[in-house]
Amino acid sequence: MRINFPAWLFVFALLPPLGAWADEESGVDTGVPHFLLHGFSDVNLTVSDRPKPTRAAFGLGQFNLFFVANLASNVSFLAETGFEMEEGGEQAVDVERVQIQYARSDYARLTFGRVHTALGYWNTFYHHGAWLQPTVERPAALRFEDDGGLLPVHSVGGEVSGRAGRGAWSLAYTGGVANGRGPDSETVQGTTDVDRDKALTARVSVLRTRDSELEFGISGGRDRVPPNPLDTRRGALRESLGGIHARWESTRWMLATEVWALRHHDQQSGSEATHRAGYCMVIFKTGVLKPYLLADVLDLDARDVFFEHSRPGRAGVLGVRYDIGTFNAVKTELRRVTHDGQVTHALAVQTAFTF
Amino acid sequence: MRWRSKRPSRSDRSTLAVVAVLGLTLQGASPVRAAEFAIIASPAVPVDGLSKDELRRVFALEKRHWPGGEPVAVLLPGSGQPAREVLLEQILHVDEAQLRRSILGKIYRGEITFPPRVPSSELEGVEWVASARNLLAIVPAEKAARANVRILRIDGKRPGEPGYALKR
């Protein structure tokens, strides 16, 4: 969707005064829901030696507006809309999340709308705002659908989630049903479902929290990817995916890792393709400075044309995050990326903020 | 140099006697007590006590409903107050920046809608809890004792009982 960026910015510039009327608690009855308006954005500078010659480029990250509101004591609403600058100077508006949640118990919360699919750790913990995540970019497996990502990181449907705890242990669980993937890897079916199959996902995590927090989890999903009338090289695909995630975090260290496998079975030709991805990240928290290491792998089976526009490869990242204040962080990274036998070296600097 | 022993004078003996009496008095005096902090609750909060793990889940905003479905609502002590340090160090095991990021992250993930309220003083926090339906707060135990609020047991103990967990 191509929208005139200044027009949308003008519209949203009118909203902060409405947000300023919001009370911190929903107990004030004025006859209308109150909401909070927040946002994220980031500005980047990347110096890369490919494509040659070495060049530097400034880039504007996603400008993201985020609304939350209580509609009743146990009913809440959340919406997130992103404005992006694309190559060629075009702007795009993405409705990233629109969800309503019903929660009368910690054991069962119902969420309906467009959500971040409950898979693994990174996808639901870090979302879109660059300020939230420790690194400049997301790991390759968790890139968004329109950025060559492997996983269905957005869904339109319903979820039931909950959390139960005893002592230092907690069990968190989420199950979802959604429209599923569209005919191509970039489409998230938001208004209709072209086939009768629904995508199913589930995630279970076990956590232990005392002086530090330890988390282990497994996630899985299945879907039927419809055939693409514009591409007869494949038929409908039966998709199954599975992953494990682990995290350990103390006041000084954080270690997080995820490993994924996704299989496509072509129902027309009978062929199968398996893709694998994963990352491992270590962060050392020294107050406002947080050095980190990230190793990132995306291995795609070239026989599967569904992901032919994605970029497989391996990346090693060494970086440091400097929290200037509570709401602004500057990150500096050195990256070594291997793709199709070619090695790219890059320096990336990002200032990411929230408001 | 040769040291000569000297017989104490009357004034020296008086001084020594005073010092000896003071020393014995101080030995028998009570040691300085660590300040204790109480978890206070409004009348409709349906629990009389929490374990330390449950207390962490409440103030970490992970536990958001009581068993009957009533929402859990907490007040956070203000920055710089001693209760804030007890909350960070002994209950949540995070620092100030991590707490702020955690609250923002929960809002962005849709786990909570609004951040917890922060009263401007310990007295105001006690007053809010006393007048509300379902608030919880952490305050110095001496302030809780003088107010009309319920004090919850933590790991089965109240402030003043041996082994009470929240002290600084």
Side-chain angles (χ1 to χ4, degrees):
Chain A
M1 178 183 180
R2 301 289 180 261
I3 298 293
N4 182 279
F5 184 82
W8 277 97
L9 193 60
F10 174 74
V11 169
F12 282 106
L14 298 177
L15 294 179
L18 295 175
W21 296 346
D23 203 331
E24 279 184 294
E25 242 179 43
S26 60
V28 178
D29 181 8
T30 62
V32 296
H34 291 174
F35 71 92
L36 286 182
L37 171 64
H38 290 284
F40 311 93
S41 194
D42 57 277
V43 183
N44 305 275
L45 170 65
T46 305
V47 182
S48 174
D49 64 0
R50 283 190 192 275
K52 291 193 177 302
T54 300
R55 68 191 69 190
F58 288 99
L60 184 65
Q62 189 181 59
F63 173 60
N64 191 292
L65 290 177
F66 178 92
F67 307 81
V68 286
N70 270 344
L71 308 183
S73 63
N74 291 314
V75 184
S76 60
F77 167 75
L78 178 156
E80 183 178 12
T81 300
F83 303 83
E84 294 181 21
M85 299 288 290
E86 296 188 333
E87 290 183 17
E90 292 180 326
Q91 298 108 35
V93 178
D94 283 327
V95 177
E96 303 289 0
R97 284 187 293 169
V98 177
Q99 61 188 59
I100 184 167
Q101 186 177 93
Y102 303 88
R104 252 193 81 77
S105 164
D106 287 345
Y107 302 128
R109 294 189 298 273
L110 298 176
T111 306
F112 299 100
R114 181 172 162 133
V115 302
H116 288 124
T117 315
L119 295 171
Y121 168 72
W122 189 293
N123 194 45
T124 49
F125 199 82
Y126 291 129
H127 300 283
H128 285 265
W131 172 85
L132 283 167
Q133 65 193 30
T135 56
V136 172
E137 292 183 348
R138 292 164 72 96
L142 294 150
R143 290 187 193 134
F144 301 122
E145 293 91 342
D146 56 1
D147 195 25
L150 177 71
L151 302 175
V153 296
H154 295 100
S155 303
V156 178
E159 277 185 357
V160 57
S161 59
R163 189 166 177 143
R166 180 180 288 274
W169 295 90
S170 300
L171 178 72
Y173 42 88
T174 307
V177 58
N179 287 339
R181 293 202 198 252
D184 61 75
S185 61
E186 294 190 14
T187 300
V188 178
Q189 299 189 97
T191 58
T192 186
D193 194 346
V194 299
D195 62 22
R196 295 172 58 183
D197 269 63
K198 288 288 176 279
L200 303 176
T201 55
R203 178 182 65 189
V204 176
S205 302
V206 175
L207 301 96
R208 186 186 185 279
T209 308
R210 277 279 163 82
D211 296 340
S212 63
E213 187 161 84
L214 183 62
E215 176 179 356
F216 287 105
I218 58 172
S219 307
R222 48 81 67 200
D223 189 12
R224 180 179 178 274
V225 181
N228 187 346
L230 302 177
D231 187 348
T232 57
R233 292 176 292 172
R234 68 164 182 88
L237 302 175
R238 181 63 68 186
E239 177 176 284
S240 54
L241 63 91
I244 57 175
H245 67 272
R247 177 178 63 91
W248 174 74
E249 187 165 7
S250 69
T251 53
R252 275 293 195 196
W253 292 94
M254 176 177 173
L255 170 67
T257 184
E258 296 183 48
V259 179
W260 292 96
L262 185 149
R263 176 170 297 172
H264 277 161
H265 172 79
D266 191 322
Q267 294 183 313
Q268 178 176 281
S269 67
S271 64
E272 287 197 351
T274 302
H275 315 284
R276 293 182 177 82
Y279 73 87
C280 184
M281 176 175 67
V282 179
I283 303 172
F284 180 45
K285 295 184 259 185
T286 65
V288 296
L289 282 179
K290 296 173 184 62
Y292 55 85
L293 279 171
L294 174 75
D296 184 13
V297 174
L298 176 61
D299 279 340
L300 298 178
D301 191 326
R303 296 170 297 175
D304 187 355
V305 299
F306 187 75
F307 290 118
E308 66 179 350
H309 300 297
S310 302
R311 286 175 55 87
R314 287 165 164 74
V317 177
L318 172 64
V320 61
R321 173 183 171 127
Y322 171 48
D323 284 295
I324 293 176
T326 304
F327 306 116
N328 179 212
V330 174
K331 306 171 210 173
T332 306
E333 285 183 359
L334 291 171
R335 293 190 207 134
R336 185 179 189 276
V337 181
T338 304
H339 168 67
D340 274 351
Q342 288 191 333
V343 178
T344 302
H345 300 92
L347 166 70
V349 183
Q350 179 186 76
T351 176
F353 50 94
T354 182
F355 53 90
Chain B
M1 176 183 283
R2 185 180 173 189
W3 291 97
R4 286 189 183 178
S5 61
K6 179 184 167 189
R7 184 184 172 81
S9 66
R10 179 175 292 179
S11 62
D12 288 341
R13 288 198 295 270
S14 300
T15 303
L16 283 170
V18 169
V19 169
V21 168
L22 280 175
L24 288 170
T25 305
L26 287 173
Q27 277 189 2
S30 301
V32 175
R33 289 191 184 278
E36 292 186 328
F37 293 80
I39 305 298
I40 58 174
S42 301
V45 170
V47 295
D48 293 321
L50 296 168
S51 68
K52 200 131 179 255
D53 290 315
E54 289 170 324
L55 185 66
R56 185 201 66 78
R57 277 195 275 273
V58 164
F59 279 94
L61 311 179
E62 293 173 10
K63 185 173 184 63
R64 295 194 286 279
H65 295 87
W66 299 115
E70 299 87 359
V72 174
V74 299
L75 301 177
L76 296 185
S79 295
Q81 292 179 13
R84 182 94 167 187
E85 295 183 26
V86 171
L87 174 69
L88 294 176
E89 293 169 6
Q90 298 184 29
I91 298 176
L92 299 178
H93 305 289
V94 297
D95 59 30
E96 184 68 45
Q98 287 172 315
L99 175 63
R100 291 175 186 269
R101 272 198 293 276
S102 171
I103 292 173
L104 285 170
K106 286 184 183 296
I107 294 174
Y108 300 148
R109 287 190 291 276
E111 295 171 18
I112 61 174
T113 311
F114 299 107
R117 297 174 72 185
V118 179
S120 59
S121 68
E122 292 163 347
L123 182 60
E124 186 175 59
V126 174
E127 291 172 351
W128 284 1
V129 171
S131 59
R133 264 183 50 85
N134 64 344
L135 282 177
L136 284 165
I138 175 172
V139 297
E142 57 185 13
K143 291 198 164 52
R146 294 196 293 264
N148 186 23
V149 291
R150 294 167 51 215
I151 299 176
L152 300 187
R153 292 181 179 276
I154 304 300
D155 284 341
K157 294 182 169 56
R158 282 210 168 89
E161 294 179 5
Y164 181 70
L166 302 178
K167 56 180 70 173
R168 182 168 175 264

